[in-house]
């Protein structure tokens, strides 16, 4: 096991802090997108409500004018009110389904936004078996990816290739001679483009 000096450990912590800041920026972008989607959903619901009120008013005026022209018939009016109740129940049901679909859509848009980001990381080791002891849950910027038949263990999440290369050079100088930069997108390893 290579020996890590205190100065190297401090640099490693700085890089980890920088990766955490990048993760926080991504989370802020997701929150902003979710806020925009919620605002658009509210606008859509308000427009739907106004449209529904307009249709109800048109139906009421039409049924009232039909009642005046043909004379008051209790049976006909009861049928109109029954059909209005059915329309209101159907609209309520559709409104509820629309809200549920909006929530699902927000979740998938946020997930898609995160997964589409290309990140760079430094792979330090590959194992045949999964070794969860190396990646405690407290470290959020570690990646454990299955590349058949191996599990690749990477450190750091970087936005740019240059940041990842600098981090790799620090790890190599600490004794991790086999460390190399890898890039990931959609949870899968991809080739690095120069």
């Amino acid at each position: 096991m290579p020996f890590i000096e205190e100065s190297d450990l401090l640099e490693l912590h700085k890089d980890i802090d920088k990766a955490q800041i990048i993760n926080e920026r991504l989370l802020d972008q997701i929150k902003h997108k979710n806020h925009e989607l919620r605002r658009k959903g509210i606008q859509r619901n308000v427009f739907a409500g106004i449209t529904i009120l307009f249709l109800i008013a048109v139906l009421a005026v039409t049924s009232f004018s039909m009642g005046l022209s043909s004379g008051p018939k209790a049976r006909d009016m009861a049928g109109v009110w029954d059909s209005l109740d059915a329309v209101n129940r159907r609209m309520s049901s559709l409104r509820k389904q629309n809200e549920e679909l909006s929530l699902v859509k927000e979740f998938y848009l946020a997930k898609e936004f995160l997964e589409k980001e290309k990140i760079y990381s430094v792979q330090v080791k590959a194992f045949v078996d999964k070794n969860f002891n190396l990646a405690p849950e407290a470290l959020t910027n570690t990646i454990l990816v299955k590349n058949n038949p191996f599990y690749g263990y990477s450190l750091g999440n970087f936005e740019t290739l240059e940041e990842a290369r600098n981090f790799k050079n620090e790890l190599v100088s600490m004794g991790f001679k086999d460390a190399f930069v890898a890039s990931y997108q959609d949870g899968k390893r991809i080739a690095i483009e120069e």
Side-chain angles (χ1 to χ4, degrees):
M1 185 74 166
F3 177 74
I4 299 176
E5 301 218 4
E6 187 174 344
S7 62
D8 294 333
L9 186 59
L10 288 173
E11 287 298 317
L12 185 60
H13 280 289
K14 286 179 187 177
D15 289 335
I16 290 172
D17 289 341
K18 189 188 292 184
Q20 287 175 338
I21 290 170
I22 291 168
N23 286 343
E24 290 173 5
R25 268 193 262 148
L26 287 173
L27 286 174
D28 287 341
Q29 289 175 352
I30 289 172
K31 286 178 188 175
H32 179 73
K33 289 286 184 186
N34 281 340
H35 178 71
E36 284 181 16
L37 286 172
R38 248 184 250 112
R39 185 176 49 80
K40 287 179 181 178
I42 289 170
Q43 288 174 348
R44 184 177 55 240
N45 289 340
V46 167
F47 179 74
I50 290 171
T51 304
I52 290 168
L53 288 175
F54 177 76
L55 289 174
I56 290 173
V58 167
L59 283 174
V61 168
T62 304
S63 65
F64 182 75
S65 65
M66 287 175 67
L68 287 178
S69 65
S70 65
K73 296 180 183 176
R75 280 190 327 227
D76 293 340
M77 290 305 288
V80 169
W81 289 117
D82 287 344
S83 64
L84 280 177
D85 286 340
V87 168
N88 283 334
R89 283 193 303 272
R90 179 69 179 146
M91 288 187 333
S92 175
S93 172
L94 289 174
R95 195 176 297 121
K96 184 177 179 182
Q97 288 177 355
N98 188 21
E99 289 172 4
E100 291 170 357
L101 288 174
S102 293
L103 291 174
V104 170
K105 182 180 176 186
E106 285 178 24
F107 171 76
Y108 281 107
L109 284 175
K111 184 178 176 186
E112 182 178 308
F113 178 76
L114 260 187
E115 288 178 347
K116 285 196 177 193
E117 293 295 315
K118 182 194 299 185
I119 62 164
Y120 299 95
S121 188
V122 179
Q123 184 169 327
V124 292
K125 196 73 175 165
F127 299 96
V128 175
D129 296 321
K130 237 181 194 178
N131 191 342
F132 289 107
N133 295 333
L134 291 175
E137 291 184 23
L139 293 176
T140 58
N141 57 351
T142 59
I143 300 173
L144 188 63
V145 175
K146 175 124 173 100
N147 292 326
N148 288 330
F150 299 102
Y151 290 91
Y153 181 71
S154 298
L155 298 174
N157 297 324
F158 301 99
E159 282 184 329
T160 66
L161 183 58
E162 185 62 31
E163 290 173 321
R165 283 184 177 154
N166 290 338
F167 184 62
K168 179 204 73 142
N169 292 338
E170 290 178 26
L171 289 174
V172 168
S173 69
M174 287 190 276
F176 293 94
K177 301 291 183 208
D178 297 331
F180 63 92
V181 175
S183 61
Y184 300 92
Q185 189 168 16
D186 294 325
K188 296 177 185 168
R189 187 153 162 214
I190 60 171
I192 297 177
E193 299 174 4
E194 287 295 330

